[in-house]
Amino acid sequence: FYSEVRKTSDVVESKEGGADKFIKGEVLDYSINLRTARPGTYIKIPYELTLTESLSDFWQSSFHSQDRIHTSTPFARALGLQDRVMPFSLVLFLTSAMSHEDSAKVQVGFGRCIYQWPVFAGDTVRKTFQVLSVRNTSDGNHSIIHFACNLINQRNRVCMSADKRLLFEFPVP
């Protein structure tokens, strides 16, 4: 499902004619070809992100929340949590953001968003997606792909799950 392109390492001499040599590294491309996606296709995104306090603070400065579970460490600890919980909107963004969204024309909708396990600064998260349905629009020029999205922490716990629909500018065969 991933089209992986590998370029082999090459030794390249400097252009100045000196004795210096450089190693030209390997390039990996994990592009996703959604034209071949079908219901049941499972997409495991190979990237991880360790969340930081600064990410949470930046998010809060842009999308302010009055909810003390996100803004107050003493309040979160009084509830029995280890620290402030990352905001729902940030965790939903992380759950649904995909490397192939750039090719989507528009996000059509979200559904069944469940914050299943708290996410804290210091957690490392990764994403998985499963294609639930694929269909063409009535004009036959676009497609709508319905995904089940999961955000998983370093302990393999699903922290958030959500359904998402995207409109793409290509029809599916």
Side-chain angles (χ1 to χ4, degrees), residues 6 19 22-23 29 59 62 80 88 141-143 146 164 169:
R6 291 183 182 264
F22 301 93
I23 295 177
D29 179 10
W59 189 269
S62 300
F88 178 90
N141 296 324
H142 300 86
S143 59
H146 182 192
K164 182 176 185 177
E169 293 189 293

Side-chain angles (χ1 to χ4, degrees), residues 66-118:
Q66 298 285 347
D67 195 341
R68 291 188 299 163
I69 199 167
H70 306 307
T71 61
S72 170
T73 298
F75 180 79
R77 288 187 178 155
L79 293 176
L81 298 166
Q82 68 188 40
D83 207 343
R84 296 182 301 153
V85 175
M86 292 284 180
F88 178 90
S89 57
L90 171 58
V91 177
L92 178 60
F93 169 76
L94 293 170
T95 302
S96 62
M98 304 179 231
S99 55
H100 63 270
E101 274 189 339
D102 292 342
S103 64
K105 186 172 185 176
V106 69
Q107 296 180 24
V108 178
F110 284 97
R112 294 185 267 191
C113 303
I114 304 169
Y115 201 153
Q116 298 179 21
W117 191 258

Side-chain angles (χ1 to χ4, degrees), residues 93-167:
F93 169 76
L94 293 170
T95 302
S96 62
M98 304 179 231
S99 55
H100 63 270
E101 274 189 339
D102 292 342
S103 64
K105 186 172 185 176
V106 69
Q107 296 180 24
V108 178
F110 284 97
R112 294 185 267 191
C113 303
I114 304 169
Y115 201 153
Q116 298 179 21
W117 191 258
V119 177
F120 302 102
D123 283 352
T124 299
V125 295
R126 58 189 163 79
K127 303 171 231 188
T128 62
F129 305 99
Q130 183 176 15
V131 176
L132 298 178
S133 66
V134 178
R135 70 175 183 87
N136 288 325
T137 56
S138 58
D139 67 4
N141 296 324
H142 300 86
S143 59
I144 296 176
I145 303 179
H146 182 192
F147 296 94
C149 311
N150 289 306
L151 187 72
I152 302 164
N153 70 9
Q154 70 275 13
R155 295 175 192 91
N156 288 323
R157 276 209 117 121
V158 175
C159 297
M160 181 173 275
S161 59
D163 287 358
K164 182 176 185 177
R165 288 176 178 82
L166 297 168
L167 178 73

Side-chain angles (χ1 to χ4, degrees), residues 50-63:
T50 299
L51 307 176
T52 62
E53 287 282 344
S54 61
L55 175 64
S56 179
D57 293 343
F58 178 75
W59 189 269
Q60 288 283 68
S61 71
S62 300
F63 308 102

